[in-house]
Amino acid sequence: MKPVSDKGYLQQLIDEGEHQQQDFKFEISDARKIARSLSAFANTDGGRLLIGVKDNGRIAGVRSEEEIYMIEAAARLYCQPQVDIAMHTYTVDGKTVLIAEIPKAPEKPIQAQVAPGKYMAYVRIADENILATAVHLAVWRQKNSKRGSLVEYTEREQMLLDYLAEHGEITVSKYSRLARLSYRSAVEHIARFVRFGLLEVCFEHHKFYYRLRQSEE
């Protein structure tokens, strides 16, 4: 089988457009902003950045080696813990495109520095990098914990399941009010259900909500 040329391979990727595991970057001018992309990919399903490609898919090319150093800085200096990325260059019609491959993190969260001494975690949803919620953080914390965790079926947990069966979706704030729980406790309850696959995290109209996980047929 004839190997795909650099041009053919890049065109295949570009034709996919931007999605949950791929993003186009015309240029790298801010290592901190790129760190957010690395955090989002690492905290979700992994992915790749195509640098030197415009949002419309046109190949513009990487403008200087400085951009390679900025990606390395984003991964090593502005992500906590560091992200191990793999970089490859492809040349098409005299223009160089840099592809940075970001693996899914084995232990989350990967946080990005948003200001000196301040780090925040992101997730990748469709073609956007979104700030991780308290539920995401709680799920990761519970998974990383050495202690076992059980889903208790108290009256409050049953209330959550009954409400979802009738209404289809719920937010943390709504559950907090219904169950008369503190916001923090409501986060922990929902995170346990998410962790054990009973609920799924949904994002729509710039809002996170939770619903019963749909069974796969």
Side-chain angles (χ1 to χ4, degrees):
M1 186 175 178
K2 186 180 178 181
V4 178
S5 65
D6 283 5
K7 187 171 185 177
Y9 175 64
L10 277 177
Q11 196 57 54
Q12 284 179 7
L13 296 183
I14 289 169
D15 288 346
E16 292 180 13
E18 294 180 306
H19 52 74
Q20 187 155 306
Q21 291 182 278
Q22 181 166 281
D23 200 5
F24 300 158
K25 295 293 180 186
F26 168 53
E27 63 179 351
I28 305 296
S29 57
D30 187 331
R32 279 202 185 101
K33 284 185 179 178
I34 289 302
R36 296 176 193 178
S37 293
L38 302 185
S39 166
F41 280 127
N43 288 331
T44 312
D45 295 316
R48 58 182 167 260
L49 289 172
L50 275 62
I51 299 104
V53 177
K54 292 189 173 183
D55 288 343
N56 62 8
R58 191 171 73 82
I59 296 175
V62 175
R63 300 200 291 182
S64 73
E65 288 192 4
E66 182 80 15
E67 297 185 63
I68 296 175
Y69 299 133
M70 275 202 264
I71 294 176
E72 290 177 339
R76 302 189 181 284
L77 302 179
Y78 296 112
C79 284
Q80 191 177 77
Q82 294 181 4
V83 176
D84 291 323
I85 59 174
M87 290 191 283
H88 312 276
T89 56
Y90 298 85
T91 302
V92 174
D93 299 331
K95 297 175 182 177
T96 299
V97 172
L98 174 65
I99 297 182
E101 301 272 359
I102 303 99
K104 181 178 179 178
E107 190 168 300
K108 306 166 187 176
I110 300 294
Q111 297 180 302
Q113 188 185 101
V114 295
K118 184 178 181 180
Y119 289 81
M120 306 195 81
Y122 292 80
V123 291
R124 181 82 175 171
I125 299 176
D127 60 352
E128 293 185 86
N129 301 325
I130 308 292
L131 192 64
T133 66
V135 170
H136 287 106
L137 297 174
V139 169
W140 295 330
R141 185 175 64 252
Q142 290 173 15
K143 284 183 177 178
N144 296 339
S145 173
K146 303 301 181 186
R147 296 186 303 165
S149 180
L150 296 173
V151 174
E152 297 179 40
Y153 281 89
T154 67
E155 183 179 336
R156 283 166 168 160
E157 278 76 18
Q158 192 59 53
M159 178 189 296
L160 174 59
L161 296 178
D162 291 344
Y163 184 90
L164 287 170
E166 182 177 352
H167 299 278
E169 62 185 57
I170 198 168
T171 62
V172 174
S173 296
K174 181 73 173 178
Y175 178 50
S176 174
R177 292 194 300 272
L178 283 175
R180 297 183 179 179
L181 288 166
S182 68
Y183 188 88
R184 183 174 179 179
S185 293
V187 164
E188 293 295 327
H189 282 221
I190 288 177
R192 281 197 294 272
F193 276 87
V194 170
R195 181 186 167 195
F196 287 104
L198 299 173
L199 300 186
E200 58 185 356
V201 182
C202 304
F203 182 76
E204 197 173 9
H205 306 305
H206 303 286
K207 182 183 77 171
F208 280 98
Y209 61 92
Y210 306 88
R211 67 185 182 195
L212 294 172
R213 181 172 289 281
Q214 305 300 307
S215 59
E216 296 181 4
E217 298 186 7

